[in-house]
Amino acid sequence: MRRRRIYEGKGKVLFEGPEPGTLVQYFKDDATAFNNKKTGTITGKGVLNNRISEFIMSRLNDIGVPTHFMRRLNMREQLVREVEILPIEVVVRNVAAGSFAKRFGLDEGGRLPRSIIEYYYKSDALDDPLVTEEHITAMGWAATQDLDEIMQMALRVNDFLQGLFVGCGLSLVDFKLEFGRLWEDEEMRLVLADEISPDSCRLWDVESGERMDKDRFRRDLGGVEEAYQEVARRLGVLPEAGPLDLKGPKTVQ
Ligand code: TMP
Ligand code: ASP
């Protein structure tokens, strides 16, 4: 049976799920950066991000952070709750890097005096501009109360992830979260959605400082596949058959 394709993004496809209110999230090997200006393939990325995101979202569910994640279905797919995604990317930063370092003329690698949360408006056409709480509330993308909740959840995720990664010899430099609205009998809840993986995090090896994330692709550093595999291995979620298994089912039905 052909499933209805609900949405195709840069790294994932969403299909209609088996029950109302559910979706199947399919992880592709496609990689994009700089808002689609650079495109490529990272072999096995979809399989690894599916596992890595499953692992992290499950741990977050365990500690009471609500997420859209229900369960992993197969190599490249997971079952998630259907939510209404807010048009905002929430970035948490612990160390100066990427656009933050560039914006303020800083060298990458300096630890920030405290964790900083930033919001970006999701729009490829506009290059995801940085926006303030004022913009978000005035444009009706989220209410002040939503943002308070989002900020609390983002900081909680940051605390948890920093600990998790440092235990694997990785420093969590920064990461991006997306949130969605979930309705249950007239009640609205905000839940963590999308994925958490080396596509959406900066992870630096604690010992060598080596980048173990999508910056290897963005900056043509080589060893992209190996970095994703190493993150999965350190988290204990590398598929048993190893790299041979990473191509997974090629077709999206
Ligand atoms: P930035 O330094 O480019 O603003 O990125 C900050 C973090 O957010 C980094 O870990 C990469 C992640 N990110 C995404 O996952 N998607 C995006 O569209 C952007 C801009 C950043
Ligand atoms: N703007 C993001 C980047 O620089 C887009 C993405 O993550 O695909 O990588």
Side-chain angles (χ1 to χ4, degrees), residues 10 31-36 89 124 128 176 199-200 202 214-215 217-218:
K10 288 174 274 188
T32 68
F34 313 116
N35 295 314
N36 262 338
E89 298 194 339
D124 277 351
D128 291 0
K176 185 259 306 183
D199 270 13
S200 59
R202 282 198 174 91
K214 205 167 89 176
D215 273 347
F217 169 78
R218 292 189 190 98

Side-chain angles (χ1 to χ4, degrees), residues 84-88 122 141-142 146 150 178-181 190:
E84 186 188 303
I85 297 281
L86 303 187
I88 295 162
K122 272 163 69 100
W141 297 326
D146 298 331
I150 284 170
E178 296 195 23
F179 290 86
R181 296 183 195 280
L190 287 167

Side-chain angles (χ1 to χ4, degrees), residues 28-201:
K28 300 189 281 188
D29 283 351
D30 299 357
T32 68
F34 313 116
N35 295 314
N36 262 338
K37 290 193 243 325
K38 180 183 174 92
T39 60
T41 303
I42 302 175
T43 306
K45 173 171 86 77
V47 174
L48 295 171
N49 282 358
N50 187 20
R51 299 261 177 157
I52 293 169
S53 199
E54 168 196 20
F55 177 75
I56 292 174
M57 293 284 189
S58 303
R59 297 291 83 75
L60 288 171
N61 276 328
D62 292 345
I63 63 158
V65 175
T67 81
H68 73 156
F69 179 80
M70 296 171 76
R71 63 192 162 84
R72 187 167 63 81
L73 296 171
N74 55 49
M75 292 282 276
R76 287 182 184 269
E77 295 178 332
Q78 47 184 243
L79 187 67
V80 301
R81 284 183 206 290
E82 183 172 25
V83 300
E84 186 188 303
I85 297 281
L86 303 187
I88 295 162
E89 298 194 339
V90 179
V91 170
V92 183
R93 301 182 185 274
N94 301 306
V95 172
S99 71
F100 184 92
K102 194 167 175 208
R103 187 183 313 278
F104 298 111
L106 301 170
D107 290 334
E108 292 192 297
R111 185 152 286 275
L112 300 172
R114 62 178 173 81
S115 303
I116 291 176
I117 298 188
E118 296 173 338
Y119 303 107
Y120 292 86
Y121 176 51
K122 272 163 69 100
S123 162
D124 277 351
L126 300 176
D127 267 347
D128 291 0
L130 181 71
V131 292
T132 66
E133 247 191 79
E134 276 283 280
H135 297 136
I136 296 169
T137 54
M139 304 297 261
W141 297 326
T144 305
Q145 196 187 318
D146 298 331
L147 288 176
D148 288 347
E149 218 176 297
I150 284 170
M151 194 188 297
Q152 276 182 25
M153 280 198 266
L155 290 175
R156 192 119 189 268
V157 173
N158 186 41
D159 284 344
F160 177 78
L161 286 187
Q162 283 193 79
L164 176 74
F165 282 121
V166 96
C168 309
L170 294 168
S171 165
L172 179 63
V173 170
D174 56 34
F175 60 97
K176 185 259 306 183
L177 298 177
E178 296 195 23
F179 290 86
R181 296 183 195 280
L182 185 62
W183 271 276
E184 278 165 348
D185 324 307
E186 307 287 297
E187 292 264 302
M188 190 275 292
R189 275 202 307 152
L190 287 167
V191 304
L192 195 57
D194 194 51
E195 71 180 294
I196 300 180
S197 71
D199 270 13
S200 59
C201 301

